[in-house]
Each structure stands twice: as C-alpha cells, then as structure tokens.
C-alpha cells in the first residue's frame, strides 16, 4: 500500500472560492457577510472535482490512500478575526469530510484549525474535537504563523501552544506544521514562506526542550523539512553548541519529514541524511508545482518516481510508503485495519 500523507483539496468547486470572496467582502460590510447555508455544493460536483484530478492521478501513479486536508493557501488565517476563521475552517473541513465519505477507500481527512493572529490557540480546540469525533480526522494542520508572513506569534515551544498539544496527545493525532498564504511581499507563498516555515519549525524544536514536556507529541514537517536535511551538519552543530542531545535522541522520536521534494537529487539527499523511520511518503498533488519537468518528461510532483529510483531495499521503501504513516498516524492505521487493509 502507498499512503500519501500530504494532500489538499485544491480542486474544490468554484462555489467555495466565491463564498470565501463574499465572506472577505463581508468583513468590511457586514450586510454582505454570507451564511454557511448559502454555500451549496452537490455530491456530484465533489465527485467530478476529485475524479478528474486527484483520484485520476492517484490511479495513474499507483497511490492508494491520501490524507486530505483543506487547501493550505486558502486557510489564510490572517484574514478577518476568529469568527471569520471559524466559519471558514468549518466549511472547508466539512468538504474534506464529504470527499472522504464519497471516496472512503482513497481519502481520509485531516483538519485545518480556525486560527487567527493574536488569538489564544485554545479557541481552535472545539473544531479539532469536532473533526476527530464527528469526521474521523486523523491529523491536524497547525499554522505556526497565522499572521501570514510577519511571524508575530510565539515560537512552537512556547506554552502559548500547549492547549493544542494537550488535545493532540489526548486524541493521538499528529500535526503537520503548515503555514498558509504570505501577505508579506518579501516572501513568496510557496517558494519562500512555506520553506522558511518548515526550517523555522525545525529550528524552534531543536532550540527547545518541547518534547521533554510532551514525549509523545508528533510533528510532520512538510516539503522535505525545508532546509533541515540539506543543512543537517549545521543543525547538528547548533544542537551541540546549545548542549542539546544528539538529534536522533533530541528530535527524531517526534519529528518526521515528508517527501514533497520535486527532483531526484533532493529525494536522494533526504533519504541519505534522514533516517528512513522518519520519512513519510507524500506528493502534495495537485499543489504548488503542477507542471511537467522538461528534463524528465514527468510531473514534478510525481514523487513516487523518485522513491522508486532511490537505492534502498524493499523493507525501507515500504516504511516510507506505508508503515511509517501507520505509526505516526495511529487513527489512520485503525481506520485502515477496520476495513481489513
């Protein structure tokens, strides 16, 4: 089995974006604020949006299951206040749940949280609970920078985030540390802000003793971990200067990396530097990089091709494709086993 742990509903029917645009207009003119009930998307529209896109590519590439969450760039926590984020998160999470109901053998949901700059993260707990208990979500996406590129929230090791961590441990769900759209012109959303955030999250974990407080907390750092694998020697050296334990002991029981790296040399480096037990297969298709690589003739985000070309044995490849995901996402494993998979 091949499990893709990083999928987003980037192909949702246009009605979703139209509703969101009305909601944004309603921030300035409350008379224009739409009700959630005004968004109407049929099951047939959802089927079409998935069958022609993500599911088609999953079948072509030989992928079995995708952990599916709302479109990351659409989270846009910097827009409006908590009430705006709450309504938006609820709608987006419900859509991903509907996808999982229509295609139960292929998609299982993960939740976005209704975060908002300057707002206590504990306000997101009711949505987390709803998604796990009612929708069967197996993970959350946690945005370490709800400001959209201005980084005015406390670091991930601050007690500011502890209510979320406590609830994650209670429900045994991991968090993918994933920012959203950048509203800072210095940082391109997918080319800079995402990768900056991945690297920043890793460094915040390294510089702290967070996992002493939460030994079973699990973070997945996407996009191959940002700069972390490429500069592994730098991070090992910084940990040494800070009198931290070796990274294997300090972080790698709790921090994991996906394979959303869109060229063979990058995947080769990732698999050489990071222990195989900490690498989880992912593609993030259809996402930030949708084109065909002229050097290979294949889609950049067809990451299975890269994994297949890595020099490793079948057991290690199976860890990346399946068994690591089952271990890091216990609710996913339970859902699959309940279906005899």
């Amino acid at each position: 089995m091949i499990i893709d742990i990083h999928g987003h509903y980037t192909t949702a029917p246009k009605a979703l974006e139209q509703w969101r645009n009305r909601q944004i207009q309603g921030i300035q003119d409350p008379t224009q604020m739409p009700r959630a009930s005004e968004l109407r998307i049929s099951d047939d529209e959802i089927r079409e949006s998935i069958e022609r896109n993500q599911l088609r590519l999953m079948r072509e590439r030989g992928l079995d299951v995708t952990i599916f969450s709302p479109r990351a760039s659409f989270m846009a926590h910097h827009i409006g206040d908590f009430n705006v984020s709450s309504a938006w998160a609820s709608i987006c999470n419900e859509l991903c749940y509907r996808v999982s109901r229509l295609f139960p053998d292929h998609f299982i949901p993960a939740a976005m949280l209704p975060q908002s700059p300057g707002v206590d993260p504990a306000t997101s707990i009711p949505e987390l609970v709803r998604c796990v208990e009612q929708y069967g979500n197996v993970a959350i996406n946690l945005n370490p920078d709800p400001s959209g590129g201005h980084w005015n929230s406390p670091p991930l090791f601050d007690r500011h985030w502890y209510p979320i961590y406590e609830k994650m441990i209670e429900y045994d769900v991991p968090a993918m540390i994933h920012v959203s759209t950048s509203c800072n012109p210095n940082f391109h959303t997918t080319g800079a802000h995402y990768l900056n955030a991945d690297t920043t999250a890793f460094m915040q974990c390294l510089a702290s003793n967070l996992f002493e407080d939460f030994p079973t907390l699990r973070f997945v750092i996407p996009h191959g971990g940002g700069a972390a694998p490429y500069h592994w020697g730098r991070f090992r050296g910084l940990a040494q200067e800070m009198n931290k334990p070796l990274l294997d002991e300090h972080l790698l029981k709790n921090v994991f990396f996906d394979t959303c790296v869109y060229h063979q040399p990058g995947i080769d480096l990732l698999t050489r530097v990071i222990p195989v037990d900490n690498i989880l297969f992912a593609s993030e298709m259809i996402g930030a990089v949708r084109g065909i690589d002229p050097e290979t003739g294949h889609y950049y985000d067809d990451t299975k091709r890269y994994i297949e070309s890595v020099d490793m044995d079948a057991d290690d490849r199976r860890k990346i494709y399946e068994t690591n995901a089952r271990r890091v996402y216990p609710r996913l494993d339970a859902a699959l086993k309940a279906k005899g998979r």
Side-chain angles (χ1 to χ4, degrees), residues 29 52 73 88 90 101 104 122 170 175 195 208 216 236 256 271:
D29 180 3
R52 291 187 176 185
S73 62
W88 181 231
S90 178
R101 290 293 300 273
E170 178 183 342
L195 304 181
S208 73
T216 61
R236 290 175 57 235
F256 304 88
T271 56

Side-chain angles (χ1 to χ4, degrees), residues 267-300:
I267 290 290
D268 291 343
L269 183 145
L270 176 68
T271 56
R272 285 201 303 268
V273 172
I274 302 300
V276 69
D277 289 342
N278 292 78
I279 302 173
L280 286 72
F281 178 78
S283 70
E284 202 179 13
M285 61 92 172
I286 301 168
V289 183
R290 305 185 181 195
I292 293 176
D293 185 342
E295 296 182 1
T296 66
H298 300 294
Y299 285 97
Y300 286 101

Side-chain angles (χ1 to χ4, degrees), residues 79-208:
I79 294 176
D81 57 14
F82 172 75
N83 290 328
V84 168
S85 285
S86 183
W88 181 231
S90 178
I91 283 172
C92 292
N93 286 329
E94 183 184 10
L95 278 177
C96 289
Y97 168 65
R98 289 175 65 189
V99 169
S100 74
R101 290 293 300 273
L102 292 169
F103 302 97
D105 292 335
H106 299 288
F107 296 94
I108 192 160
M112 68 176 274
L113 300 181
Q115 297 174 245
S116 189
V119 176
D120 186 344
T123 57
S124 292
I125 289 176
E127 181 67 10
L128 186 161
V129 170
R130 184 176 76 96
C131 286
V132 173
E133 293 189 352
Q134 297 181 25
Y135 293 166
N137 280 224
V138 300
I140 62 170
N141 290 343
L142 182 64
N143 185 350
D145 175 36
S147 72
H150 295 286
W151 289 94
N152 51 23
S153 292
L156 288 169
F157 57 76
D158 192 271
R159 297 188 69 86
H160 171 82
W161 301 98
Y162 277 27
I164 296 291
Y165 302 159
E166 290 163 357
K167 193 58 65 171
M168 287 170 57
I169 289 170
E170 178 183 342
Y171 282 101
D172 204 12
V173 294
M176 178 170 283
I177 307 300
H178 206 310
V179 289
S180 185
T181 296
S182 170
C183 59
N184 183 334
N186 291 288
F187 305 122
H188 182 276
T189 293
T190 55
H193 186 43
Y194 281 18
L195 304 181
N196 293 345
D198 303 335
T199 309
T200 298
F202 181 80
M203 186 63 209
Q204 288 178 357
C205 292
L206 184 154
S208 73

